[in-house]
Amino acid sequence: MSYFKTARPYIVAGPCSAETREQVLNMAATLAGMNVHLMRAGVWKPRTRPGSFEGNGAVALAWLQEAKELYKLPVTTEVAEPEHVELALKHGIDVLWIGARTVVNPFQVQRLADALKGVDIPVMVKNPVNPDVNLWQGAIERFEQAGITSVAAIHRGFSGYTAAAGYRNQPNWPIPIELKRRKPQLTMICDPSHITGSRDRIGEVAQKAMDMHFDGLMIETHHQPDEAWSDAAQQVTPAQLQQILSGLVVRQEHTHDMSGQEQLEYLRQLMDSTDAEIIDLVARRMELSGQMGAVKKLCNMTAYQPARWREIVETRSDRGSIHGLTREFIVELYEKIHHESIRIQLSVLEEAAKELKK
Ligand code: PEP
Ligand code: MN
């Protein structure tokens, strides 16, 4: 049985980075008294730009080892080099995780898998930063082929040029769902901290993950989140973590044993979250319309452009037909969307005209 299948939800919590020995020990003491199964803390931090805190390195492994022994709470850290693997194993780290920036590189993933040959330690594989389900699946399989029997996937969202719909990393839910379809036995953990990038929305995304039947959650937790040395905006206090966990509604999988009423409830939950996503996307589209209105104003162009509208109808109908949606339905839907879009652009142009008259 997989190491991770002992509880649902399986909870991983702890700071983004192991900052000081005192911080690590205090956090372990707090989490050991809560419904947390594994404590996380980054020791080597993959930072986007140089100059940010890059982790304390090997010295912090000793803090994790001490915390684990004192509080009997298993610990995990990110490894990105075979040398990290070797040091983590030497310090009795219980579970390893592979970061999103490492998973994009099959050579590096293979080096890590090779470093683990003959050592059956549980491994959690984050999704690659780019939305590629094959790359994610491939990384998982490299560890499975190296003989790792407990592998979990962590969904931490996908980067994009803009923070669309207010996420730090786009959740792109169909990707983890497709991974689970391909590998039904795989443990799926959601990391709402890196998806949202903001502590206020962690509860909402954690609930959504439960509704999508994820097995667990990884939530960054810090005693003084605003003072954190990395990812300050997205870390929660242990009290906030407790609140998020106690607020979760955890449902059983949609099975034929459920009564009709329960099945309906479950499907309604999925529909509610899908609708919330549709509205977020429509709002994002309208935002883009506003921006296009501003560009059209600058270039002195009309809001309505018949050729563009014809192209929208054709491309969207083709897209809809992949899913069996009729052309009539797509045209009707887009008439509404396009109409609102034009209304927004016209209001930008009217504003500009008023400015000129002044
Ligand atoms: C982290 O968990 O702190 C981290 C660096 O994650 P990711 O690889 O998802 O960016
Ligand atoms: Mn982090």
Side-chain angles (χ1 to χ4, degrees), residues 16 40 45 168 194 220 231 234:
C16 178
R40 63 153 285 152
K45 299 303 300 175
R168 178 178 177 197
H194 287 87
E220 286 189 338
D231 287 350
Q234 70 192 33

Side-chain angles (χ1 to χ4, degrees), residues 40-275:
R40 63 153 285 152
V43 159
W44 296 282
K45 299 303 300 175
R47 304 313 299 276
T48 303
R49 298 186 60 203
S52 317
F53 174 60
E54 293 191 330
N56 284 301
V59 63
L61 290 173
W63 307 337
L64 282 173
Q65 186 170 27
E66 198 180 341
K68 159 194 169 153
E69 280 159 13
L70 270 175
Y71 300 103
K72 308 284 171 251
L73 182 63
V75 291
T76 183
T77 201
E78 173 173 348
V79 289
E81 298 285 355
E83 184 204 347
H84 298 167
V85 169
E86 196 188 313
L87 285 164
L89 293 175
K90 224 183 254 171
H91 285 85
I93 303 299
D94 300 277
V95 175
L96 304 178
W97 96 71
I98 317 298
R101 293 162 190 80
T102 303
V103 176
V104 292
N105 181 352
F107 289 134
Q108 192 66 7
V109 172
Q110 191 57 54
R111 276 196 283 275
L112 297 175
D114 291 344
L116 283 171
K117 282 238 167 78
V119 193
D120 192 5
I121 184 173
V123 174
M124 304 187 292
V125 181
K126 288 206 168 193
N127 64 253
V129 282
N130 56 322
D132 183 342
V133 69
N134 296 322
L135 198 53
W136 194 5
Q137 181 179 0
I140 289 164
E141 287 169 350
R142 286 179 198 276
F143 290 103
E144 287 173 342
Q145 285 175 11
I148 303 293
T149 50
S150 293
V151 181
I154 303 181
H155 171 225
R156 50 78 78 199
F158 303 88
S159 51
Y161 185 61
T162 55
Y167 295 110
R168 178 178 177 197
N169 291 293
Q170 298 308 301
N172 266 330
W173 295 99
I175 292 182
I177 287 169
E178 171 60 12
L179 181 68
K180 179 79 176 170
R181 190 191 65 76
R182 293 183 189 182
K183 296 180 79 69
Q185 302 310 321
L186 185 66
T187 300
M188 301 290 301
I189 295 173
C190 178
D191 171 350
S193 311
H194 287 87
I195 290 177
T196 61
S198 112
R199 67 180 71 101
D200 306 342
R201 296 187 67 194
I202 289 172
E204 163 202 333
V205 172
Q207 182 59 53
K208 168 125 187 169
M210 289 298 100
D211 296 342
M212 298 286 190
H213 207 70
F214 274 64
D215 302 287
L217 298 167
M218 177 189 257
I219 299 181
E220 286 189 338
T221 310
H222 195 287
H223 278 111
Q224 287 162 303
D226 287 327
E227 310 297 315
W229 298 5
S230 57
D231 287 350
Q234 70 192 33
Q235 302 207 55
V236 295
T237 62
Q240 288 166 330
L241 174 69
Q242 188 55 57
Q243 212 172 19
I244 291 168
L245 297 181
S246 3
L248 285 179
V249 180
V250 182
R251 294 180 184 81
Q252 289 314 303
E253 193 168 2
H254 177 216
T255 69
H256 294 295
D257 301 340
M258 283 177 159
S259 71
Q261 191 53 39
E262 280 172 327
Q263 290 193 30
L264 204 58
E265 257 308 294
Y266 175 81
L267 293 171
R268 279 193 179 133
Q269 282 294 326
L270 285 184
M271 194 173 279
D272 288 353
S273 42
T274 308
D275 280 346

